[in-house]
Amino acid sequence: MRKIINLALAATMTLGLTACSSNSSTPASTDSSSTTTTTPTAETRTLKFAALETAYGADVWKEIGAAFEKATPNVKVEMTIDKNIEDVIGPTMKSGDFPDVIHLAVGQKKGLTETFIKDNNLTDLTDVLSMKIPGESVTVKDKLIPGFTDTTITNPYSDGKTYLMPMFYSPCGLFYNAGLFEQKGWKVPTTWDEMWALGDKAKAEGISLFSYPTTGYFDAFFYALLNEVGGPEFFTKAMNYSEGVWQTPEATQAFDLITKLASYTEKTVPANANKDNFQKNQQLILDNKALFMPNGTWVVGEMAKAPRADGFKWGFTSLPAVKEGGDRYSYTFFEQMWVPAKAQNADLAKQFISFLYSDEAAAIFAKVGAIQPIKGMSEKLDGDNKLFYSIYDNGAKASMGAFATTDSVEGVNISDTTFGTVDSLVTGAKTEQQWIDAITKASDALRGALKK
Amino acid sequence: METTKGRGRFIFFCLTPAVILFIIFLIIPTIDVFRMSMYKWGGYTDDKTFVGFQNFTKLFHSDKFYQTFQNSVLLIVIVTIVTFAFSLLFASVLTREKLKGQNLFRIIFYIPNILSIVVISAIFSAIYDPNSGLLNSFTNLFRSATETPTLWLGDQKIVIFSLAGAMIWQAIGYYMVMYMASMANIPDSLYESADLEGASRTTQFFSITIPLIWVNIRTTLTFFIISTINMSFLFVMAMTSGGPDGATEVFLSYMYKEAYTNSSYGYGMAIGVVVFLFSFALAAILNAVTKRDNLEY
């Protein structure tokens, strides 16, 4: 996710004029698609597909497009894939011309997907779940790993309807240097108490317990922690801004844990916790200067060329349990694909999405390391990926979802309030109580704006 | 009679293209910002609702906005004063004193202005790095290495000044060249007669140089306001992303965050309107208080 953001921002800085050039083809196609919708004959129809170019590259989408064209006669896929996709499709959308399918996850800096959710501008995709996958005898629902379409992200209006389809997923948890643990004979902690004990032991050797790339990485961490302290029900309550939820003993426990963790964090981390320097914080793990960091599987590729300590080996674990034998959680990050409400070829878009879950498409995606939440996918993996994706087979529970969608509330940003403050906890600029008060205030402001 | 009419028509047709361009690219967008600030709008689609001045009332009740306001004003004040002092000093040294390699210095001072902000941010991120940075390596000479290093970009109390440091470094050359240009126009005879009268360099600087480039100084003060507001956004985006925990959030970065990340485009435009009015008012005030009789030479 961070990688995507970084790519997008790096591209923004170079101020690519690509925005103009790749746009030029859209006006012409508007005519053709509007005429085809009125006369749905054997004529060739055009599906307009827009996607953010991420670490997986643009070629994989072209391959998918070609495969879909082959599988469905009389359909042409017109692709717009760009690192600044918001800037490319934004202007035409303002004038009322929308792509049919958009692959762009929530959590991006420009918040395009969030804006569409908040404006109720999405097409209901629930019926995609019961659609037969082209060329196969099973439905999309049969193939998907259960749980992925029951989250606050995919069903933003909590009405049981799915508006965003889960695409590529990645488990998030704590990354560490497994080599170091072997050398020192340390055990990877399974409870937070063991974690603190290890922290004190490491401190004696001049190693900090914890580092984090930027405070944004606390989302996955915090969501998983909320599940550990209070279970999924409590998590859902917290994500829906229930009144008084932040004053419960469970929430207090979570806040206490993070505050304590802040005191075990490498002191220089806040100085580098921005998108320019966050890799320095990740480097702390590679240099054996800190033991754990919250991250996602993309970090391996991101740090592939970085220097590392002798005997370095990536290790990956879910969060330690709050008490002996308690549940351990690992947050699942996934990207989403959706159809704007005003898309002209919504039916074709749904067909396209269902095609993406076919064995043929999954194989194309897997080639570039993009793993979809399809049953049995994780068994086909090898190397580091096998370790990462098998985390749920090793006893960790999956947690999914995020703060529930609301109508936009000006000046209130719950993610910033909740996660951004961790910097201040580490530097000591704010106290735990100030943090909780701010979250409560933001949560109260958002409750009234919840989507109903 | 015929000729004046013809000339009037000629002038009209000559001016029309420029006026049309001016209206399309300057007047209309500005009015549009004001109009947009009255809407609740996500920014990407064509659904918007008119909400009147609601965005503004919310804005004036937001602590976050006051924090960004403080940060921006602090930056404007520090950057203006320090840059102004240094560039005046350097300009006067380079024009008045006989130094070897004057041109070289002029180029060196001007180079930061040519560099892109992203490059400057990368340079200063390296300088401010807590462990291997230039600044901390230097301060480590005076204290034990086991102490916690100063977090130039990580300590909420320091970070805004670190940002100002980078901005000043970037701006000095530009203003220096502007001051040098007008200083070069001051006739040497004035300084020669001052020398004969026994006036010191400092007296000459304050009694001759400053009054004679006053018009130029007034212009640059307006530049300082505008460029600090704009530049601080670029520096914040490239160096700190507004962090740690919003300590370096400035006008435009907050506007960007609200308009895009928080899907409140209308609210973002309201911030834009406030910034517009604020910088206009500030420039007007500065212009009024610095008004002096124009000196001729």
Side-chain angles (χ1 to χ4, degrees):
Chain A
M1 168 170 64
R2 314 297 144 182
K3 204 163 183 185
I4 304 170
I5 296 175
N6 281 313
L7 280 174
L9 286 169
T12 324
M13 276 169 202
T14 52
L15 273 177
L17 285 169
T18 42
C20 310
S21 57
S22 35
N23 250 350
S24 52
S25 60
T26 1
S29 62
T30 326
D31 304 330
S32 66
S33 55
S34 54
T35 47
T36 44
T37 34
T38 47
T39 52
T41 49
E43 245 176 277
T44 307
R45 295 178 62 188
T46 309
L47 176 81
K48 282 186 284 174
F49 172 72
L52 176 73
E53 185 179 342
T54 63
Y56 304 132
D59 291 339
V60 63
W61 288 114
K62 294 195 180 116
E63 215 175 309
I64 288 289
F68 181 65
E69 280 172 7
K70 221 170 101 190
T72 16
N74 296 325
V75 169
K76 215 183 133 290
V77 183
E78 185 187 292
M79 301 227 163
T80 315
I81 296 147
D82 202 282
K83 287 174 179 163
N84 292 318
I85 194 69
E86 296 96 334
D87 298 336
V88 177
I89 58 177
T92 48
M93 289 198 301
K94 273 179 207 173
S95 60
D97 179 22
F98 295 85
D100 296 314
V101 192
I102 298 178
H103 175 73
L104 179 66
V106 292
Q108 300 288 334
K109 189 134 194 156
K110 292 211 171 116
L112 185 135
T113 306
E114 281 91 337
T115 307
F116 270 78
I117 299 173
K118 286 173 182 173
D119 289 353
N120 295 327
N121 253 324
L122 303 178
T123 302
D124 180 6
L125 296 180
T126 318
D127 51 340
V128 173
L129 294 174
S130 51
M131 272 168 80
K132 273 238 164 69
I133 292 170
E136 291 173 30
S137 56
V138 288
T139 63
V140 173
K141 201 183 170 90
D142 294 337
K143 268 192 121 169
L144 279 176
I145 299 176
F148 270 91
T149 49
D150 305 321
T151 68
T152 48
I153 298 177
T154 54
N155 307 359
Y157 310 126
S158 43
D159 54 358
K161 287 182 185 154
T162 303
Y163 286 83
L164 296 100
M165 291 297 286
M167 281 306 292
F168 313 124
Y169 79 111
S170 156
C172 299
L174 298 175
F175 283 76
Y176 60 94
N177 176 4
L180 180 71
F181 277 74
E182 277 166 29
Q183 276 169 34
K184 302 267 183 198
W186 290 337
K187 222 173 102 267
V188 177
T190 53
T191 65
W192 280 103
D193 286 334
E194 284 175 38
M195 188 85 165
W196 309 133
L198 177 68
D200 295 331
K201 231 190 298 179
K203 203 174 190 176
E205 307 209 16
I207 305 174
S208 300
L209 179 66
F210 197 68
S211 166
Y212 55 87
T214 72
T215 51
Y217 284 69
F218 271 93
D219 53 1
F221 183 91
F222 189 68
Y223 295 150
L225 189 63
L226 285 182
N227 273 296
E228 288 195 350
V229 295
E233 225 166 90
F234 171 75
F235 175 67
T236 313
K237 256 165 69 188
M239 291 303 101
N240 284 296
Y241 320 108
S242 292
E243 196 158 2
V245 73
W246 305 113
Q247 274 65 42
T248 55
E250 290 93 340
T252 313
Q253 192 179 12
F255 289 133
D256 286 346
L257 278 171
I258 292 185
T259 312
K260 190 162 183 190
L261 194 59
S263 67
Y264 276 93
T265 301
E266 223 275 345
K267 290 294 167 229
T268 61
V269 164
N272 290 323
N274 49 59
K275 69 172 174 40
D276 234 21
N277 298 314
F278 71 96
Q279 294 204 351
K280 289 183 187 166
N281 287 341
Q282 296 182 166
Q283 187 64 35
L284 292 174
I285 305 293
L286 296 165
D287 289 342
N288 287 342
K289 285 185 180 147
L291 288 183
F292 291 101
M293 67 168 165
N295 223 315
T297 50
W298 57 83
V299 67
V300 177
E302 204 167 62
M303 302 303 283
K305 293 198 177 99
R308 55 200 66 204
D310 283 339
F312 183 87
K313 212 164 73 193
W314 282 112
F316 177 53
T317 176
S318 50
L319 294 197
V322 282
K323 57 176 189 288
E324 194 78 47
D327 283 336
R328 301 180 63 184
Y329 275 89
S330 158
Y331 185 76
T332 308
F333 168 77
F334 61 88
E335 295 173 28
Q336 304 91 33
M337 182 173 283
W338 43 277
V339 179
K342 291 177 184 158
Q344 282 173 334
N345 300 305
D347 55 326
L348 203 55
K350 288 176 182 172
Q351 215 178 322
F352 178 70
I353 293 177
S354 67
F355 172 76
L356 295 180
Y357 296 102
S358 67
D359 290 341
E360 186 188 356
I364 296 174
F365 286 130
K367 269 196 297 190
V368 291
I371 312 297
Q372 293 164 288
I374 294 176
K375 284 178 197 161
M377 242 1 240
S378 61
E379 286 146 34
K380 295 178 195 156
L381 301 170
D382 48 18
D384 278 342
N385 268 340
K386 194 182 171 77
L387 166 75
F388 301 149
Y389 283 87
S390 64
I391 187 167
Y392 302 117
D393 306 333
N394 300 334
K397 291 191 171 176
S399 88
M400 275 179 272
F403 280 115
T405 314
T406 61
D407 288 322
S408 61
V409 177
E410 288 80 1
V412 180
N413 186 334
I414 187 89
S415 309
D416 252 15
T417 314
T418 314
F419 314 127
T421 313
V422 177
D423 271 341
S424 292
L425 293 175
V426 176
T427 58
K430 279 187 192 159
T431 62
E432 186 183 349
Q433 196 50 48
Q434 282 173 319
W435 183 37
I436 299 172
D437 290 345
I439 296 176
T440 312
K441 199 175 152 200
S443 182
D444 288 344
L446 290 172
R447 191 177 313 124
L450 263 178
K451 292 276 183 194
K452 289 192 187 84
Chain B
M1 192 60 199
E2 256 320 287
T3 41
T4 37
K5 212 172 170 188
R7 207 171 73 178
R9 208 178 294 150
F10 176 72
I11 292 174
F12 176 79
F13 282 116
C14 285
L15 284 178
T16 318
V19 171
I20 291 177
L21 287 177
F22 180 72
I23 290 174
I24 293 179
F25 290 108
L26 237 94
I27 306 287
I28 295 181
T30 311
I31 295 173
D32 227 35
V33 169
F34 279 82
R35 194 171 60 85
M36 282 296 121
S37 68
M38 309 262 180
Y39 284 88
K40 189 178 178 80
W41 183 34
Y44 283 111
T45 55
D46 39 6
D47 308 337
K48 24 184 141 130
T49 358
F50 184 80
V51 292
F53 285 98
Q54 237 177 61
N55 284 330
F56 291 93
T57 27
K58 278 182 194 155
L59 191 58
F60 291 121
H61 285 108
S62 156
D63 300 339
K64 199 92 201 270
F65 178 66
Y66 287 115
Q67 193 193 354
T68 60
F69 209 107
Q70 274 178 357
N71 286 342
S72 292
V73 172
L74 184 68
L75 275 180
I76 292 174
V77 172
I78 300 176
V79 173
T80 304
I81 293 178
V82 180
T83 315
F84 178 67
F86 273 103
S87 45
L88 256 186
L89 181 77
F90 290 147
S92 109
V93 168
L94 284 182
T95 40
R96 296 302 312 154
E97 310 297 322
K98 306 255 166 321
L99 285 178
K100 264 197 186 149
Q102 265 183 357
N103 270 325
L104 179 73
F105 281 118
R106 199 194 304 216
I107 293 168
I108 288 176
F109 278 123
Y110 197 72
I111 280 180
N113 217 269
I114 307 167
L115 294 179
S116 105
I117 303 296
V118 180
V119 175
I120 297 176
S121 302
I123 294 174
F124 273 85
S125 289
I127 292 176
Y128 291 143
D129 188 283
N131 295 315
S132 54
L134 195 66
L135 211 50
N136 271 351
S137 306
F138 181 70
T139 53
N140 278 349
L141 294 176
F142 306 105
R143 56 174 196 184
S144 71
T146 47
E147 270 178 70
T148 327
T150 316
L151 304 181
W152 299 103
L153 292 178
D155 189 327
Q156 273 99 330
K157 292 187 203 78
I158 304 177
V159 63
I160 194 91
F161 298 101
S162 310
L163 206 65
M167 291 180 67
I168 291 165
W169 183 81
Q170 188 264 352
I172 283 181
Y174 176 74
Y175 292 101
M176 188 192 77
V177 169
M178 288 190 55
Y179 295 139
M180 277 173 80
S182 57
M183 282 180 192
N185 285 332
I186 302 174
D188 272 345
S189 53
L190 289 175
Y191 292 103
E192 279 161 20
S193 49
D195 266 338
L196 291 177
E197 297 280 346
S200 70
R201 296 266 171 192
T202 338
T203 323
Q204 286 180 19
F205 178 73
F206 285 107
S207 314
I208 301 176
T209 313
I210 298 273
L212 287 181
I213 63 163
W214 194 253
V215 180
N216 189 315
I217 289 175
R218 283 181 66 193
T219 321
T220 54
L221 284 178
T222 313
F223 281 16
F224 274 122
I225 299 168
I226 300 169
S227 75
T228 310
I229 290 177
N230 284 328
M231 286 294 181
S232 59
F233 171 65
L234 298 176
F235 275 99
V236 164
M237 281 319 227
M239 259 167 103
T240 64
S241 327
D245 195 16
T248 52
E249 208 74 81
V250 290
F251 278 148
L252 299 189
S253 66
Y254 184 56
M255 169 174 155
Y256 183 92
K257 244 189 192 160
E258 283 298 328
Y260 294 102
T261 318
N262 208 20
S263 313
S264 315
Y265 200 83
Y267 187 66
M269 290 307 107
I271 300 173
V273 168
V274 174
V275 173
F276 180 90
L277 296 177
F278 170 76
S279 46
F280 232 87
L282 192 62
I285 292 170
L286 270 179
N287 240 323
V289 298
T290 54
K291 204 165 169 68
R292 303 275 186 281
D293 283 335
N294 225 344
L295 291 174
E296 303 276 342
Y297 46 79

